[in-house]
Amino acid sequence: MTDAAAVSTRPEGVLSGRYRLATLGMCALIGIAAFESLAVTTIMPIISRELDGEALYSLSFAAPLASGLVGMVAAGNWADRSGPRVVVIASMLLFAVGLLVVGTAPDMGVLLVGRLVQGVGSGAVIVGLYVMVARLYPPGLHPSIFAGFAAAWVVPGLVGPLVAGVVAETVGWHWVFLGALGLAVPAFFAVLPSLRRVPPPVVAEGGRRVPWSIGRILWSVGAALGVLALNLVSEFPTWLTVVVIVVAVVVLAVALRPLLPPGTLRAAPGLPTLVLLRGLVGAAFLGSEVYIPYMLSAEYDFSASASGVTLTLGALGWAFASWVQGRLGDRVAQRDGIRIGIVLVLLGVVVAALTPLFHLPPAFLIATWAVAGFGMGFMYPRFSVLVLALSTESERGFNSSALTIADSTGSAVALALTGAAFGVLGGASSPLAFVACFVVGTGVAVLALALSGRAVPRGR
């Protein structure tokens, strides 16, 4: 009788009968988005050569990050107002349309349009899924489901870069995106039944729903335009470049203030710095990673599939760290876990800078990028858990949106800096151009480490 009672009162897990379909469906959507992201990083050197788009290389990554800002803000507001169901459905449709446009793009201009549409969808769906987690899962399961999200984001990296490289080298890069679209359809339908079980949003006294925040949505458009302008500075005449940079930075800073928790841009202690820190670590990692396949191709004659090995090992390190973090639970303080992750990312970016500078064997970079991936996987779930823990019910949509906004904005600004440095120093024909890109990532990682003590109180 005692054993039977223990079994009947055992806490449900994320893969128990009640939550299994929701968990698998959401992780599948995250996994497809991850595959597409890693695929783009792997094959973009091929695309830029075929479409004569080397000057727009960084913009092809920054465009979905910029448009994703609009998707995140609109999705956060919409989810607080109406719940995550309609947000997830609408955002997945936009993501699918973007994949279709990119997969059939005849030139770089059309490809960038598709990437913009895709960015709105992917930015919105992440916020929708975060709010879905908050309303469907009990708080005790949040660390496990976010660890699952982190694993789903990186597990495709185990085969994704290799598959994308082989497909691009055989039947053509278009089929990488069209294949991702084909995989997204069943994943989308798998999550629909779980959306019907999500409780409705909390309604304030008087029966009023959370109002539309048109101002915040317009500010997000301004922030997106500022990001795009920064990534286009290389296309302007020299005399106009400084003016564009100053105006874009001012617009971006002003537009971001109402989209983030008060005090984020000045690193106020607690939640504001935590959100800022998410943007910095994402900028250091992604801003460097997108140039690794390009550098291996230009400096070491790696094929697309071979250069994808670095991304695969980085994803493997991320996935393993997510598993470790989930097993450890709270045995490693959140503050310590974040600092460990930053140090490991810093190590990877520094080695990336030294590799083209001294023409080191690429094995050094490949190995240490796996370590950097481990660092990301060890700390990323902690941001989501802490933000939900520090948010009230009515703030979860806004703060989840702010977390992803900081992530995307930080990466997009880093790509603007690396893209400008890359162009000024000679592009793919110059090893110093790649060194400069990784130096930018190093500086951002050092800043993140310096601010980490302000994000999480000591002992937490």
Side-chain angles (χ1 to χ4, degrees), residues 425-441:
L425 294 177
S429 61
S430 170
L432 288 179
F434 292 108
V435 172
C437 294
F438 300 132
V439 166
V440 170

Side-chain angles (χ1 to χ4, degrees), residues 40-41 44-45 48 53-62 108 289-294 422:
V40 171
T41 305
M44 189 52 71
S48 64
E54 180 178 308
L56 300 174
Y57 184 85
S58 65
L59 183 60
S60 64
F61 295 97
M108 200 68 173
E289 186 178 58
V290 298
Y291 282 96
I292 289 176
Y294 207 175
F422 189 71

